[in-house]
Amino acid sequence: MLGLVPPQYAGIVQSAMRQAASHGSSSTSSGTYDPSFDSPTTSTPIDNSASDAAAASAAAAAEQNLNDENALNASMAAAEQQNDAANAAALQTEINAGM
């Protein structure tokens, strides 16, 4: 076993092996590869419905926010036009009054 370990790690491996032996560790592994640890026996379908619903809700909220902002901008533009007309009328009244 130690022949496979780089020399700088040999002491660490020996220490770990001594600790494992002193703790009564016993291994039944034959050292061969067991693919059952890497491959699930059945595939579990992934349920993305909650994530999809959250994404759809976020998209709808973003669209509503955009619509609200556009409505606010249109309302402010209309108010500015009315204000400009009122200011022009007030100015004309002052001019007509000779002020």
Side-chain angles (χ1 to χ4, degrees):
M1 171 78 169
L2 292 180
L4 301 175
V5 177
Q8 65 267 31
Y9 299 117
I12 296 170
V13 172
Q14 285 177 340
S15 174
M17 291 173 67
R18 278 194 299 269
Q19 281 187 335
S22 69
H23 290 290
S25 171
S26 63
S27 176
T28 58
S29 172
S30 62
T32 60
Y33 173 70
D34 184 358
S36 66
F37 290 113
D38 293 335
S39 305
T41 54
T42 59
S43 65
T44 305
I46 297 172
D47 181 11
N48 289 325
S49 60
S51 178
D52 293 344
S57 178
E63 186 174 347
Q64 183 62 48
N65 285 343
L66 182 59
N67 290 340
D68 291 347
E69 186 176 344
N70 287 340
L72 177 63
N73 288 340
S75 176
M76 288 179 8
E80 286 176 7
Q81 286 179 348
Q82 289 176 346
N83 192 35
D84 289 346
N87 285 339
L91 180 60
Q92 188 60 50
T93 301
E94 289 179 11
I95 292 171
N96 291 345
M99 300 186 104

